[in-house]
């Protein structure tokens, strides 16, 4: 049994809860316009009861939870740096990496950091381009940005506009980042229902982009039901301005008005109706992908990237409310799916909600080829209860590549950053963590770690409210990963770490 120690003893007994012009990028010269929050991932601000606020303050006084904004962590984690928000004031979102650079999405645009010295990241550029979620990925000299709020046009100067208007735009924007100090907007592709997230399937000449979006409505001209698949964009590297939607493969065929996905309530109370996918993770070395699709988890074959083929599909109508994201282990015989109970805006890491809801689901992949099946093994949830004023639920994470072990780091919003092992898929356990105390003891204010990813020896966490955090893990179980150096990392495009990157390179 491994014991974790914190900088402060916490008994964790808190258990009370109710549950351009044209196509030019605007490099920032003034404060950005506000982006429209997206219901899938937008933490909210709400009042809580006087009893809940009193319980939170009492738990802080007793040492059961950290004080407001207090930083605590296990002894094997070191907090190296926090880089606060600057000109981009919106919600911080996803991260991507390339060489010595980190790319941080924000609902108002994106920010480029030089992380050559991880303890002292420097801002290289900030690009104003409002449009939630601004999920970000990079490949070569191209950066891809998801827009999932209805805009007046595809420029970075657009304003919000109802999705009921045919002229409204949502989709993927493409930037040339060959000059890191001055990214250049070069193309856009409109996609049905926008782009909540996207996933790259890179080839030598082209980059395929799997676009996840959902929630169609008969009143939306560009987002009509049934929306039972994903948009596949083909982007020629030499001519990104020729990017186009190449296919819309149906993943949930069916005769109903919403296709054949999970019907949700009332048949399955508390479960999201499947009207698209939220996030997809691909493992190109194995020609595999895993889709987290609202009410369904799927495993599919991507040997033909324009025509992915579903191998298996699973549901959990007892404990999973919203299938949010997926992570393969290195051997591709396991998948971790996350459940974003409450849409990221609720306090679900408490005794009342319990250990199985708003958690990760660990699945083994058994069988071979087209007969492979996803088999549920266990749930994992952080073992520290959070306050009723803290939005907390499973969110974005990545593998920490270690031979013979399955270890990942993961964001939990105001639950912080957790490092946990699922080598034994039936008995996952936490081995390290980092978190802050609540943003408020009196109000549920959205914040915490949106994405926490391991890259070249360090963990980078994009905190919704605070900024970019840099952590270092010193633990014999993860130390091997420090030897590995990657040239590029988009977490939803999982590399074969031990094939693609020689561990002693550089």
């Amino acid at each position: 049994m491994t014991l974790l120690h914190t900088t402060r003893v916490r008994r964790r007994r808190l258990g009370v809860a109710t549950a351009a012009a044209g196509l030019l990028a605007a490099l920032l010269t003034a404060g950005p316009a506000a982006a429209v929050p997206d219901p899938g991932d937008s933490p909210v601000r709400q009042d809580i009861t006087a009893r809940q606020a009193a319980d939170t303050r009492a738990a802080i006084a007793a040492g059961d939870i950290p004080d407001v904004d207090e930083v605590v962590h296990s002894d094997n984690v070191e907090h190296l740096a926090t880089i606060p928000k600057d000109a981009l004031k919106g919600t911080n979102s996803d991260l991507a990496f390339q060489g010595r650079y980190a790319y941080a999405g924000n609902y108002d645009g994106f920010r480029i950091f030089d992380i050559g010295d991880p303890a002292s990241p420097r801002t290289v550029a900030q690009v104003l381009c409002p449009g939630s979620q601004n999920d970000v990925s990079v490949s070569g000299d191209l950066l891809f940005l998801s827009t999932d709020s209805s805009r007046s046009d595809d420029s970075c100067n657009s304003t919000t506009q109802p999705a009921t208007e045919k002229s409204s735009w949502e989709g993927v924007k493409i930037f040339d980042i060959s000059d890191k100090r001055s990214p250049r907007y070069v193309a856009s592709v409109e996609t049905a229902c926008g782009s909540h997230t996207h996933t790259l399937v890179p080839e030598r000449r082209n980059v395929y982009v799997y676009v996840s979006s959902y929630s169609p409505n008969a009143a939306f001209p560009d987002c009509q039901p049934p929306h039972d698949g994903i948009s596949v964009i083909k982007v020629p590297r030499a001519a990104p301005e020729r990017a186009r939607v190449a296919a819309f493969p149906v993943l949930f065929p069916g005769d109903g008005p919403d296709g054949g996905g999970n019907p949700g309530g009332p048949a399955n109370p508390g479960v999201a109706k499947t009207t698209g996918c939220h996030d997809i993770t691909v493992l190109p070395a194995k020609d595999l992908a895993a889709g987290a699709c609202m009410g369904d988890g799927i495993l599919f074959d991507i040997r033909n990237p324009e025509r992915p083929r579903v191998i298996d599909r699973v549901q959990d109508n007892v404990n999973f409310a919203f299938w949010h994201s997926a992570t393969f282990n290195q051997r591709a015989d396991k998948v971790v799916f996350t459940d974003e109970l409450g849409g990221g805006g609720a306090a679900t890491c408490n005794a009342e909600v319990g250990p199985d809801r708003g958690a990760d689901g660990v699945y083994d992949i058994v069988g071979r080829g087209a007969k492979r099946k996803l088999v549920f093994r266990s749930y994992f949830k952080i073992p520290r209860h959070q306050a009723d004023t803290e939005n907390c639920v499973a969110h974005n994470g990545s593998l920490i590549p270690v031979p013979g072990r399955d270890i990942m780091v993961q964001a939990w919003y105001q639950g912080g950053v957790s490092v946990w092992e699922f080598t034994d898929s039936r008995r996952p356990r936490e081995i390290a963590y980092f978190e802050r105390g609540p943003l408020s003891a009196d109000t549920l204010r959205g914040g915490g770690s949106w994405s926490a990813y391991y890259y070249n020896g360090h963990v980078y966490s994009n905190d919704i409210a605070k900024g970019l955090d840099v952590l270092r893990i010193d633990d014999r179980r993860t130390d091997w990963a420090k030897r590995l150096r990657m040239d590029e990392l988009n977490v939803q495009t999982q590399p074969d770490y031990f094939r693609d990157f020689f561990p002693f390179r550089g």
Side-chain angles (χ1 to χ4, degrees):
M1 179 176 177
T2 300
L3 297 178
L4 296 178
H5 302 280
T6 69
T7 56
R8 164 183 176 176
V9 175
R10 289 180 291 159
R11 292 179 292 280
R12 287 298 187 184
R13 292 174 184 161
L14 186 69
V16 178
T18 306
L23 295 176
L24 289 179
L27 290 175
L28 289 171
T29 57
V36 174
D38 186 272
D41 281 302
S42 55
V44 297
R45 178 173 181 146
Q46 66 185 47
D47 292 332
I48 61 174
T49 67
R51 173 64 183 275
Q52 290 171 313
D55 286 342
T56 298
R57 290 191 293 269
I60 291 171
D64 293 339
I65 64 171
D67 204 347
V68 172
D69 283 342
E70 180 187 4
V71 171
V72 295
H73 52 79
S74 52
D75 282 347
N76 52 358
V77 170
E78 182 178 359
H79 184 205
L80 298 181
T82 298
I83 309 301
K85 290 183 181 180
D86 191 3
L88 298 175
K89 303 299 185 184
T91 296
N92 279 335
S93 57
D94 214 359
L95 293 166
F97 305 91
Q98 192 178 65
R100 62 184 293 152
Y101 298 99
Y103 302 83
N106 179 286
Y107 275 37
D108 289 331
F110 65 94
R111 189 173 181 182
I112 303 177
F113 293 96
D114 183 334
I115 55 171
D117 179 359
S120 185
R122 296 185 301 105
T123 299
V124 175
Q126 298 187 73
V127 176
L128 173 62
C129 201
S132 65
Q133 306 215 119
N134 281 340
D135 189 38
V136 62
S137 296
V138 293
S139 183
D141 288 335
L142 299 178
L143 179 145
F144 302 86
L145 201 65
S146 283
T147 299
D148 196 32
S149 58
S150 186
R151 313 295 299 181
S152 56
D153 56 52
D154 64 353
S155 77
C156 285
N157 301 313
S158 67
T159 58
T160 60
Q161 182 168 288
T164 52
E165 296 189 24
K166 176 62 178 174
S167 63
S168 296
W169 184 91
E170 299 180 65
V172 173
K173 301 181 177 98
I174 305 171
F175 291 78
D176 183 320
I177 53 170
S178 53
D179 181 352
K180 303 294 187 291
R181 295 185 178 278
S182 184
R184 183 171 57 90
Y185 186 1
V186 296
S188 69
V189 180
E190 186 172 15
T191 54
C193 301
S195 176
H196 193 76
T197 66
H198 68 266
T199 303
L200 305 187
V201 186
E203 296 182 336
R204 179 171 295 182
R205 294 184 178 180
N206 303 296
V207 180
Y208 286 96
V209 185
Y210 286 177
V211 176
S212 296
S213 56
Y214 53 92
S215 295
N217 189 305
F220 299 163
D222 299 318
C223 184
Q224 291 283 301
H227 184 72
D228 49 11
I230 58 174
S231 297
V232 180
I233 299 174
K234 185 177 182 179
V235 185
R237 290 187 185 275
E241 68 278 1
R242 289 166 43 202
R244 61 179 179 85
V245 175
F248 187 87
V250 173
L251 303 177
F252 304 97
D255 298 329
D258 297 309
N262 195 320
N268 297 318
V271 178
K273 177 170 67 175
T274 298
T275 58
C277 290
H278 180 278
D279 212 338
I280 292 169
T281 293
V282 298
L283 189 56
K286 307 289 188 182
D287 290 324
L288 277 179
C293 302
M294 303 181 72
D296 294 88
I298 59 174
L299 182 71
F300 51 106
D301 184 317
I302 59 168
R303 280 177 290 183
N304 183 339
E306 292 189 30
R307 294 179 176 83
R309 181 174 54 84
V310 175
I311 299 171
D312 194 29
R313 168 184 163 197
V314 291
Q315 297 177 354
D316 180 345
N317 294 320
V318 175
N319 286 314
F320 260 48
F322 190 95
W323 296 66
H324 178 276
S325 52
T327 303
F328 287 101
N329 70 335
Q330 176 60 31
R331 295 179 60 187
D333 58 8
K334 299 173 190 170
V335 181
V336 173
F337 289 103
T338 68
D339 172 28
E340 195 186 40
L341 175 69
T348 70
C349 298
N350 49 46
E352 181 170 324
V353 173
D356 297 340
R357 302 184 67 229
D360 296 316
V362 182
Y363 285 75
D364 284 352
I365 301 174
V366 300
R368 299 173 64 85
K371 296 183 178 181
R372 283 171 287 190
K373 297 292 183 183
L374 293 164
V375 179
F376 173 78
R377 296 303 188 202
S378 65
Y379 297 108
F380 170 79
K381 194 171 184 179
I382 56 173
R384 301 170 312 284
H385 289 159
Q386 306 295 307
D388 288 334
T389 61
E390 294 180 280
N391 60 305
C392 175
V393 75
H395 214 236
N396 294 352
S398 75
L399 281 187
I400 298 179
V402 179
R405 288 182 180 268
D406 298 325
I407 299 175
M408 68 179 289
V409 59
Q410 186 176 2
W412 289 79
Y413 287 118
Q414 286 195 69
V417 176
S418 176
V419 180
W420 61 286
E421 181 169 3
F422 58 104
T423 305
D424 181 346
S425 56
R426 298 177 189 271
R427 295 176 179 82
R429 58 176 182 156
E430 184 175 75
I431 63 175
Y433 71 89
F434 165 89
E435 68 165 297
R436 290 183 171 88
L439 288 169
S440 169
D442 303 302
T443 303
L444 198 164
R445 293 172 52 192
S449 179
W450 177 292
S451 298
Y453 299 147
Y454 188 88
Y455 179 70
N456 290 352
H458 294 82
V459 171
Y460 297 87
S461 166
N462 210 16
D463 187 289
I464 289 169
K466 298 297 184 182
L468 182 74
D469 284 309
V470 185
L471 311 175
R472 185 172 65 203
I473 304 170
D474 292 307
D475 190 289
R476 60 177 179 77
R477 291 162 290 193
T478 61
D479 281 347
W480 189 96
K482 295 177 182 178
R483 307 175 183 183
L484 186 148
R485 287 293 179 266
M486 292 175 278
D487 301 320
E488 189 171 276
L489 178 64
N490 300 294
V491 167
Q492 286 72 38
T493 306
Q494 277 191 226
D496 184 329
Y497 291 96
F498 309 128
R499 185 199 72 172
D500 296 342
F501 303 100
F502 184 69
F504 297 100
R505 197 168 86 192

